[in-house]
Amino acid sequence: MFRRNILFGLAAGLLATGLAGGLTPTPARAESGAAAALADPAPLAAYGALPSLELLQVSPSGQRLAFVTVSGEQRVLVMLDLATKAQVGGVDVGRAKVRDLEWIGEDRVLITTSSTETVPRLGLFQQELWSGQIYDPARNRLVTMLVGTRGLFPAMFSASHVIQGDDGPRILTRAFTFGNPDRLDLFRINLETGRAALAEVMGRQVRGFVLDPSGQSVARSEYDADSRTWSLYLRQGGGFRSTWRTEAPIDTPDLIGLGLNGDSVIIAALRPDLGQEGPETTEFFDVNLANGDWRPVRFDFNPQALEFHPTTHRLMGASRMTDEGRIYSFADPQAANLWTQVSQTFAGRLPELVSWSNDLHKAVVLTSGARDSGTYYMVDLDAGAIMRVGGSYEEIKPDQVAPVRAVTYAAADGLEIHGYLTTPPGIQDPHGLPLVVLAHGGPAYHDVMGFDWWAQALASRGYAVLQSNFRGSTGRGRAFMEAGYGEWGRKMQTDLSDGVRYLTEQGVIDPARVCIVGASYGGFAALAGPTLDRGVYRCAVSVAGLSDLRVFVDNEASDGTRRDNTTTRYWNRFMGGERLGDRSLDELSPARLADQADAPILLIHGRDDSVVPIEQSRLMERALRRAGKPVEFIELSGEDHWLSRGETRQRMLAETVRFLQANNPPD
């Protein structure tokens, strides 16, 4: 159904400021109340709700803006004309989990969604499957890709690629054809019907590919599970030639995109023989298409992510997250100018570039941090103007945003651990506070500076919140991540409690009032607190956490044609298992140590979790009940691993706060 009125207030309320001689951001919402007084907290639902705005994408010309908003549990795509500030399109996406938006030329938008499905015919059980819908506002219709093509399974098995060809824009994606079990081909999508036509034949062993501006693949990678070999193929002389291969039992290289000049491709790989000297290992390399020569990609810093031009799809820069926000380095002069203007205009507000027009003169910028729960702006360099589009969490007022500061402390073995401390709003001198240790997932992931809805919600209820980037986390160099190998339940766990001891020494927290909370790996850490690192926590909340490591790895081994696969080898390396079925993992499994639990535990798990099966929480509940230990278990119907639904995310947050307040009251 066409929706013109949902965002009428937002469309009419876009603020524009045009200034000669530079950019000045639209003033933030008026501050209220004295900073010394604890602000009245926003409702918990305001933190747990889906973001009011997300996935903002400016059109190629810079004249239109597309984004997703929510109305209750319904997601809505909205299109605005930036010149008139009028809504020019909109469609209900329903309860679908929207993962991405991308303009198809100037008139259509590709919506990528996912859902948890079981397809026994393909050997898929509780898997997240991806699909694409093409929205055409001129005809007010939504066309689902790949549906109606004879013999084709209607799901995308690669990212979608929007290419601007001589005959107009086109979409390319990989899909599975019944009857061809050894192929997973590349198809071109008809923008009018959504049906697919074969573009290139690709074997099922093809793991990645890079397209040139015409949509033809110029590089492919293949992985042979039997020999554990990753191979690079470059298009040369009218066909593909193998130019490099490496044994990769776990860390397989990745094809990323086109190089700076379009005559090379970028690969993420472990090549210590080619890496530049420095504190971190270079993992991005430029490979010449003509001769296959490799060279490190060099920027002012070791990048965590690469940036590609919206038109040529060539490499144009890199970025890295720091305590001062995301920093960028651009080889493209126009992109460098854009970032210089943005970084100066939004200094101190952790700006990030979200999307940009083809000429790089207009961009969407996201700010967050102090007194900012996440605000989107449109920047127009030509007009010297900024428009405030809206906030991610509009119900949370500036004085309700909790302050966040970086902390650094030494682990028991001397390793430096970095993290973030969020304290309740209005408290100038934090002292003797109750603490929640909020452990991130992954574990190869890391928390960053900025507005975190979960940490902010807990701080709003009077808790200090510690988010430690324990060993095994990314963001601190490869050596730091590798320091986590084999340390599940060991040093990765004590890195968290060492943070508790540090904050105790600083007088910030009361060591007698500490709980631990986390999701995914963080859920495991929450369970390991009362069972493996006892005497630290008064309670624990595990969301989608692992409880039996050996059972989990065995389940991963059963999910596919080969039990000994890269996934199981990855988990065994991190967990410390020597082989499949390694019983030493039992010594690190909270479900097998339930009789030792010294604190009440709340388990929360989505029934549609395709990453950590809900059986992991069910195992933990049964073990705790057999041991006579206090436990609560809440199953979230229709929820996945990522808490993608607003209703269940809000319930998770409400139940977590209720449990914390009952077992570790903040006052």
Side-chain angles (χ1 to χ4, degrees), residues 94 104 116 141 168 211 261 272 354 407 443 447 464 510 546 550 557 570 576 644 652 667:
I104 310 168
T116 308
R141 67 174 185 169
L211 304 179
N261 299 316
V354 176
V407 294
D447 285 311
D510 179 353
L546 290 77
R550 182 158 58 94
Y570 171 87
S644 299
M652 180 282 295
D667 47 24

Side-chain angles (χ1 to χ4, degrees), residues 96-117:
K97 295 177 282 190
V98 182
R99 304 303 189 185
D100 194 22
L101 294 182
E102 188 169 4
W103 284 91
I104 310 168
E106 194 68 19
D107 301 318
R108 296 182 177 95
V109 171
L110 171 61
I111 309 168
T112 300
T113 62
S114 74
S115 60
T116 308
E117 305 288 349

Side-chain angles (χ1 to χ4, degrees), residues 255-447:
L255 275 169
I256 306 297
L258 286 174
L260 192 65
N261 299 316
D263 58 358
S264 61
V265 290
I266 305 299
I267 296 178
L270 298 180
R271 294 291 306 267
D273 55 317
L274 297 179
Q276 65 189 87
E277 295 183 1
E280 300 183 32
T281 302
T282 299
E283 297 185 11
F284 294 112
F285 296 89
D286 181 281
V287 181
N288 187 278
L289 289 169
N291 57 31
D293 287 347
W294 289 56
R295 62 176 183 173
V297 174
R298 301 180 186 275
F299 286 93
D300 297 336
F301 49 79
N302 204 30
Q304 293 172 340
L306 300 181
E307 309 293 334
F308 292 86
H309 196 282
T311 303
T312 66
H313 303 289
R314 296 177 183 178
L315 177 69
M316 68 173 183
S319 67
R320 182 179 183 87
M321 183 61 75
T322 71
D323 289 345
E324 289 72 43
R326 184 169 295 278
I327 59 174
Y328 295 83
S329 177
F330 288 108
D332 183 289
Q334 180 55 47
N337 177 56
L338 173 66
W339 172 241
T340 297
Q341 295 291 328
V342 167
S343 60
Q344 292 176 352
T345 301
F346 296 101
R349 299 176 65 180
L350 310 180
E352 290 191 56
L353 293 168
V354 176
S355 68
W356 38 68
S357 60
N358 282 356
D359 62 6
L360 304 178
H361 288 194
K362 296 181 181 178
V364 175
V365 175
L366 173 64
T367 64
S368 71
R371 307 180 69 78
D372 187 348
S373 58
T375 306
Y376 289 98
Y377 295 90
M378 269 298 309
V379 174
D380 185 340
L381 295 185
D382 292 334
I386 292 176
M387 294 189 298
R388 182 185 185 276
V389 181
S392 298
Y393 297 92
E394 292 280 22
E395 288 187 54
I396 301 173
K397 299 180 178 64
D399 60 355
Q400 294 171 329
V401 178
V404 184
R405 63 180 173 92
V407 294
T408 302
Y409 59 90
D413 63 356
L415 184 67
E416 183 178 273
I417 306 298
H418 180 272
Y420 299 96
L421 179 68
T422 305
T423 51
I427 296 181
Q428 296 294 316
D429 182 23
H431 182 78
L433 295 173
L435 176 70
V436 173
V437 174
L438 183 58
H440 68 68
Y445 185 72
H446 62 281
D447 285 311

Side-chain angles (χ1 to χ4, degrees), residues 57-363:
Q57 294 293 310
V58 63
S59 69
S61 70
Q63 297 177 3
R64 290 183 170 186
L65 182 68
F67 55 87
V68 171
T69 185
V70 293
S71 176
E73 280 295 305
Q74 302 294 107
R75 286 175 165 92
V76 181
L77 168 68
V78 177
M79 296 172 64
L80 298 178
D81 183 291
L82 292 171
T84 64
K85 306 177 186 63
Q87 186 170 335
V88 295
V91 65
D92 278 336
V93 186
R95 298 170 70 91
K97 295 177 282 190
V98 182
R99 304 303 189 185
D100 194 22
L101 294 182
E102 188 169 4
W103 284 91
I104 310 168
E106 194 68 19
D107 301 318
R108 296 182 177 95
V109 171
L110 171 61
I111 309 168
T112 300
T113 62
S114 74
S115 60
T116 308
E117 305 288 349
T118 294
V119 188
R121 186 177 178 183
L122 295 182
L124 301 176
F125 298 90
Q126 285 288 97
Q127 295 291 314
E128 201 73 8
L129 295 183
W130 300 70
S131 63
Q133 292 83 38
I134 301 170
Y135 173 57
D136 183 351
R139 301 185 183 182
N140 188 27
R141 67 174 185 169
L142 201 62
V143 175
T144 302
M145 288 168 34
L146 302 172
V147 172
T149 305
R150 184 184 297 274
L152 204 63
F153 184 69
M156 301 190 305
F157 284 83
S158 76
S160 58
H161 298 263
V162 177
I163 302 294
Q164 183 63 46
D166 295 336
D167 56 348
R170 64 184 70 168
I171 300 174
L172 295 162
T173 190
R174 292 180 78 184
F176 177 81
T177 304
F178 292 113
N180 293 306
D182 295 327
R183 283 168 43 186
L184 200 56
D185 298 325
L186 186 69
F187 290 88
R188 178 176 176 176
I189 306 300
N190 185 304
L191 302 185
E192 299 296 327
T193 66
R195 295 189 179 93
L198 181 65
E200 288 188 29
V201 173
M202 289 187 176
R204 201 160 186 171
Q205 284 189 328
V206 173
R207 288 290 185 91
F209 57 93
V210 173
L211 304 179
D212 66 13
S214 72
Q216 181 184 58
S217 65
V218 294
R220 295 179 181 178
S221 65
E222 292 188 1
Y223 186 75
D224 187 316
D226 292 329
S227 64
R228 305 180 181 183
T229 301
W230 186 94
S231 301
L232 173 65
Y233 291 84
L234 302 179
R235 187 180 289 275
Q236 296 176 348
F240 282 94
R241 185 171 70 87
S242 175
T243 62
W244 185 74
R245 63 182 56 196
T246 184
E247 186 176 349
I250 302 176
D251 298 309
T252 58
D254 287 316
L255 275 169
I256 306 297
L258 286 174
L260 192 65
N261 299 316
D263 58 358
S264 61
V265 290
I266 305 299
I267 296 178
L270 298 180
R271 294 291 306 267
D273 55 317
L274 297 179
Q276 65 189 87
E277 295 183 1
E280 300 183 32
T281 302
T282 299
E283 297 185 11
F284 294 112
F285 296 89
D286 181 281
V287 181
N288 187 278
L289 289 169
N291 57 31
D293 287 347
W294 289 56
R295 62 176 183 173
V297 174
R298 301 180 186 275
F299 286 93
D300 297 336
F301 49 79
N302 204 30
Q304 293 172 340
L306 300 181
E307 309 293 334
F308 292 86
H309 196 282
T311 303
T312 66
H313 303 289
R314 296 177 183 178
L315 177 69
M316 68 173 183
S319 67
R320 182 179 183 87
M321 183 61 75
T322 71
D323 289 345
E324 289 72 43
R326 184 169 295 278
I327 59 174
Y328 295 83
S329 177
F330 288 108
D332 183 289
Q334 180 55 47
N337 177 56
L338 173 66
W339 172 241
T340 297
Q341 295 291 328
V342 167
S343 60
Q344 292 176 352
T345 301
F346 296 101
R349 299 176 65 180
L350 310 180
E352 290 191 56
L353 293 168
V354 176
S355 68
W356 38 68
S357 60
N358 282 356
D359 62 6
L360 304 178
H361 288 194
K362 296 181 181 178

